[in-house]
DNA sequence: CAGCATCCCCGCAGATACTG
DNA sequence: CAGTATCTGCGGGGATGCTG
């Protein structure tokens, strides 16, 4: 039904299922949007759409290893938040194009900046990890 | 044991547990770092530490609603990646201060920019949601 | 106070089958 | 091709109890 569909959609993209953390206080709304944008697949979708609009299956291939279901859910969440525009052409076979809205482009640029930073600094991170693991290993030997 | 401890640490902060998505290909490393940084609690920790160094319990209170376990795991992951510096003073009662490294500060600034954008555009997002839900509701009535 | 160990639940996400 | 509906597992993450 429509209701359960909405429930699924709201649960998508890393958003908590509204009962799990509902220990009295409500989660502040901006964190929800932030989690949609920074969600596992949300990040990759936004970055991919920043290059150019994509069809559904193009996105699947571009991202790789995302299940059809998760991609659908992620796109629905982002569409609902007004970040992604969905253009379904009434043709056979169906053709649906996804693109960024103005709002979505702003978000995507922030996200891409972060992703670019990550790739740039990747080697620093890996060095840090080696140092950390080294220290841990020697601590283990000492005990 | 040390081995299992490391396994827990690696699974922290939204990082997949190394077997779940291991359908043959390895996940590219930069996505892992990206997911640490954009993880549920990672985002909030980085933003909080951008203001000033925090003690463990200060972070807990500042973030709110984060379990001790998840905060520990998140901090360990970020420390291992070289983004967070852990300073444990050998005193009683124990006192541990967490601060950003140079690398971590760069990441945190990107993340905060994204968070700021989210709060700024929050009302646009909510308007978009109303529009979206409205459209869905009328579609349901039509069918 | 900081953090580790253990238990356990439930919800995310993958797999599969079916529709327009 | 672009979805929806349903089932299932397993791992994230909360709760609790214990150590230094």
């Amino acid at each position: 039904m429509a209701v359960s569909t909405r429930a699924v959609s709201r649960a998508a993209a890393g958003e908590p299922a509204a009962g799990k953390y509902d220990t009295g206080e409500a989660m502040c709304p901006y964190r929800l949007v932030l989690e949609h944008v920074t969600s596992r697949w949300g990040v990759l979708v936004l970055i991919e759409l920043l290059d150019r609009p994509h069809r559904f299956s193009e996105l699947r291939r571009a991202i790789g290893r995302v299940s059809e279901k998760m991609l659908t859910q992620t796109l629905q969440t982002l569409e609902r938040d007004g970040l992604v525009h969905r253009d379904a052409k009434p043709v056979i076979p169906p053709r649906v194009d996804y693109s960024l809205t103005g709002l979505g482009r702003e978000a995507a640029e922030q996200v891409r900046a972060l992703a670019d930073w990550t790739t740039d600094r990747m080697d620093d991170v890996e060095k840090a990890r080696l140092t950390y693991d080294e220290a841990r290993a020697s601590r283990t030997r000492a005990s």
Side-chain angles (χ1 to χ4, degrees), chain A:
Chain A
M1 301 307 297
V3 173
S4 67
T5 300
R6 284 256 39 79
V8 168
S9 177
R10 290 188 191 215
E15 177 174 342
K20 194 170 184 181
Y21 303 99
D22 193 356
T23 53
E25 288 174 86
M27 188 184 215
C28 33
Y30 99 91
R31 286 195 192 175
L32 258 60
V33 181
L34 189 57
E35 292 191 5
H36 295 171
V37 169
T38 62
S39 72
R40 180 173 189 68
W41 305 118
V43 168
L44 301 173
V45 165
L46 289 174
I47 291 174
E48 210 56 47
L49 289 181
L50 202 51
D51 276 348
R52 59 176 178 81
H54 282 65
R55 298 185 58 179
F56 185 84
S57 51
E58 284 179 335
L59 276 175
R60 274 207 78 177
R61 279 191 300 274
I63 293 175
R65 303 233 231 154
V66 57
S67 72
E68 185 183 305
K69 181 177 127 187
M70 290 317 298
L71 184 55
T72 301
Q73 284 184 358
T74 302
L75 286 168
Q76 284 175 351
T77 302
L78 294 178
E79 187 195 359
R80 191 172 107 97
D81 287 349
L83 304 178
V84 162
H85 174 67
R86 180 177 184 275
D87 184 19
K89 326 252 184 187
V91 297
I92 294 178
R95 178 191 175 97
V96 183
D97 286 84
Y98 291 93
S99 55
L100 293 176
T101 63
L103 205 58
R105 178 162 290 273
E106 290 179 17
E109 278 163 359
Q110 306 275 354
V111 169
R112 186 169 62 178
L114 188 57
D116 287 347
W117 176 87
T118 304
T119 52
D120 286 351
R121 297 300 190 176
M122 194 57 216
D123 48 352
D124 295 87
V125 169
E126 282 181 334
K127 282 180 188 170
R129 283 180 186 168
L130 289 177
T131 305
Y132 181 89
D133 291 344
E134 193 73 18
R136 293 284 296 196
S138 57
R139 279 186 57 86
T140 302
R141 292 187 62 89
S143 68

